[in-house]
């Protein structure tokens, strides 16, 4: 599918992303499908085709207009260094050309609560594109990614179609969360669509089973998260770069906690009532928590300190039950 430039490339611009417009489907294909629909049947499918034609096929394909300064990300996500290095290499390859940004699908392998989904959101912000989350832990239907046939009652398009056709971007970040938790039986394979979607050539003409129109999904940036790679089919593993995300060291966890404290404080008007820097005792206690638990614990701490009319969060202000539940091991 063709693309054309929307914003001229400027090597000196490192703030604004470069944007092209890329066609993600062929209107003629949609018109032909619409014309063949029976008069009163398939109203949902008819509405989908009409919406596609009304919006048109062009979506933004964006990339950073230069190799971005990622120092803050390395600081915020110290245990994701190898994954960030990989992203930086792909961004560098896309510079000084009209090529789109291609990122090899990546699998983030590590324990729960370590920040894998947070990494994906930060990556989408960095690249200037959108992000869609596909949680696999409670999904058993094989049509989650690829859509269900319009012959089925309540059928609808899959997550890939929704992200590209209903979204703004030709190259969204799609996060398949907890891919190792995907349940399957002999009839339906929730991961079946990935065999084609993770290959660039076949993804260019991805067929959603509901719409039955070729969609260009070749520009999607795929991030998978998992706790155990043994539950992932080998052919899918072979299509991805696998990064084992270790728990942060104690000092790295303290730095994550400090960054989070400063971020929460700056994002809220009431933050001005609190000290600019957290105490060492507070950081020591927060560092015992998984990154996922830190924000909740800090919000409780801010609230307890405010109730006591203090501008300093004490370690005792943090929730005791949360600390016990969220404790994790550290690298030595």
């Amino acid at each position: 599918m063709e693309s054309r430039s929307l914003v001229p490339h400027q090597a000196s611009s490192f703030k604004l992303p470069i944007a092209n417009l890329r066609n993600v489907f062929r209107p003629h294909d949609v018109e032909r499908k619409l014309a063949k629909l029976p008069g009163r049947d398939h109203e949902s499918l008819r509405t989908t085709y009409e919406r596609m034609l009304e919006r048109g096929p062009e979506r933004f394909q964006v990339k950073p207009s230069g190799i971005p300064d990622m120092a803050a990300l390395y600081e915020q996500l110290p245990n994701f260094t190898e994954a960030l290095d990989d992203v930086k290499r792909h961004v560098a390859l896309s510079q000084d050309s009209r090529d789109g940004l291609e990122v090899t699908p990546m699998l983030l392998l590590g324990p729960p609560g370590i920040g894998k989904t947070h990494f994906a959101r930060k990556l989408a912000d960095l690249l200037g594109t959108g992000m869609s989350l596909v949680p696999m832990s409670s999904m058993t239907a094989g049509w989650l990614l690829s859509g269900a046939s319009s012959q089925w009652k309540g059928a609808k398009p899959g997550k890939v179609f929704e992200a590209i056709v209903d979204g703004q971007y030709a190259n969204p970040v799609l996060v398949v969360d907890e891919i190792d938790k995907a349940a399957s039986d002999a009839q339906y394979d929730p991961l079946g669509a990935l065999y084609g979607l993770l290959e660039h050539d076949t993804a260019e003409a991805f067929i959603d089973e509901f719409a039955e129109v070729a969609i260009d999904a070749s520009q999607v940036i795929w991030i998978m998260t998992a706790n155990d790679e043994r539950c992932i089919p080998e052919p899918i593993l072979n299509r991805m770069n696998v990064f084992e995300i270790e728990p942060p060291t104690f000092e790295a966890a303290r730095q994550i906690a400090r960054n989070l404290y400063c971020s929460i404080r700056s994002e809220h008007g009431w933050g001005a009532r609190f000290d600019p820097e957290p105490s060492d005792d507070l950081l020591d206690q927060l560092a015992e928590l998984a990154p996922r638990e830190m924000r909740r614990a800090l919000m409780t701490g801010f609230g307890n300190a405010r109730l006591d009319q203090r501008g300093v969060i004490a370690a005792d202000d943090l929730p005791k039950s949360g600390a016990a539940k969220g404790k994790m091991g550290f690298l030595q």
Side-chain angles (χ1 to χ4, degrees):
M1 306 242 177
E2 65 183 69
S3 64
R4 62 185 176 86
S5 177
L6 181 67
V7 178
H9 173 72
Q10 296 179 348
S12 60
S13 174
F14 290 89
K15 299 290 186 182
L16 298 175
I18 300 171
N20 293 331
L21 284 174
R22 185 180 182 93
N23 288 340
V24 296
F25 62 86
R26 295 181 176 88
H28 175 70
D29 294 345
V30 181
E31 291 168 352
R32 187 172 55 187
K33 288 284 186 181
L34 183 59
K36 290 182 178 180
L37 280 181
R40 297 182 179 179
D41 297 333
H42 305 293
E43 282 306 311
S44 179
L45 189 55
R46 182 184 304 279
T47 300
T48 297
Y49 290 150
E50 290 174 347
R51 187 174 72 248
M52 292 174 72
L53 293 174
E54 182 179 354
R55 285 202 60 191
E58 292 185 328
R59 300 293 180 272
F60 291 115
Q61 180 181 6
V62 298
K63 66 180 180 181
S65 57
I67 302 176
D69 182 2
M70 296 170 60
L73 274 183
Y74 280 99
E75 183 178 329
Q76 294 170 23
L77 302 163
N79 47 335
F80 288 82
T81 296
E82 290 187 4
L84 289 170
D85 287 346
D86 192 54
V87 171
K88 183 183 285 188
R89 284 190 290 268
H90 285 93
V91 171
L93 286 173
S94 71
Q95 300 306 302
D96 303 319
S97 74
R98 296 189 62 185
D99 294 344
L101 173 64
E102 292 185 28
V103 177
T104 303
M106 61 173 62
L107 171 64
L108 306 177
L109 192 63
I114 205 169
K116 300 186 293 290
T117 307
H118 179 67
F119 167 87
R121 289 194 180 95
K122 290 294 185 181
L123 179 60
D125 290 342
L126 175 77
L127 302 179
T129 187
M131 190 199 93
S132 294
L133 184 67
V134 185
M136 300 299 291
S137 58
S138 60
M139 302 295 183
T140 58
W143 53 78
L144 177 62
L145 286 167
S146 60
S149 170
S150 60
Q151 303 297 325
W152 292 89
K153 182 179 180 180
K156 63 179 183 179
K159 296 293 186 179
V160 177
F161 182 98
E162 290 178 357
I164 298 174
V165 177
D166 294 335
Q168 302 180 59
Y169 300 98
N171 61 334
V173 173
L174 262 175
V175 182
V176 182
D177 200 30
E178 296 186 307
I179 187 175
D180 53 326
K181 300 294 198 316
S184 63
D185 56 34
Q187 189 174 7
Y188 299 116
D189 179 7
L191 304 182
L194 286 177
Y195 292 95
L197 284 167
L198 297 182
E199 294 284 358
H200 186 274
D201 292 343
T202 53
E204 284 184 321
F206 167 70
I207 302 291
D208 181 271
E209 292 186 25
F210 177 81
E212 295 186 318
V213 174
I215 301 297
D216 183 0
S218 63
Q219 304 303 301
V220 171
I221 299 167
W222 291 97
I223 299 179
M224 321 286 171
T225 76
N227 302 329
D228 187 353
E229 65 180 325
R230 293 173 297 179
C231 301
I232 305 172
E234 191 67 28
I236 290 181
L237 275 177
N238 291 339
R239 287 165 165 81
M240 300 185 288
N241 287 340
V242 180
F243 299 97
E244 294 192 23
I245 309 301
E246 301 287 354
T249 64
F250 186 75
E251 284 305 315
R254 289 180 90 258
Q255 184 60 44
I256 292 172
R258 178 191 173 276
N259 291 337
L260 190 55
Y261 175 96
C262 294
S263 174
I264 293 174
R265 181 180 175 275
S266 65
E267 289 169 358
H268 298 86
W270 47 255
R273 301 177 183 273
F274 291 89
D275 285 358
E277 292 289 337
S279 69
D280 288 338
D281 288 345
L282 180 67
L283 292 181
D284 287 343
Q285 184 155 329
L286 286 169
E288 297 288 344
L289 304 180
R292 177 187 293 170
E293 303 288 338
M294 287 182 185
R295 175 176 285 273
R296 290 199 291 266
L298 269 171
M299 291 301 293
T300 299
F302 277 117
N304 284 334
R306 182 63 185 143
L307 284 172
D308 205 26
Q309 297 186 336
R310 287 181 281 109
V312 177
I313 303 178
D316 288 344
D317 292 323
L318 300 182
K320 301 300 184 294
S321 58
K325 181 180 177 181
K327 274 195 174 183
M328 63 186 298
F330 296 96
L331 295 179
Q332 302 298 320

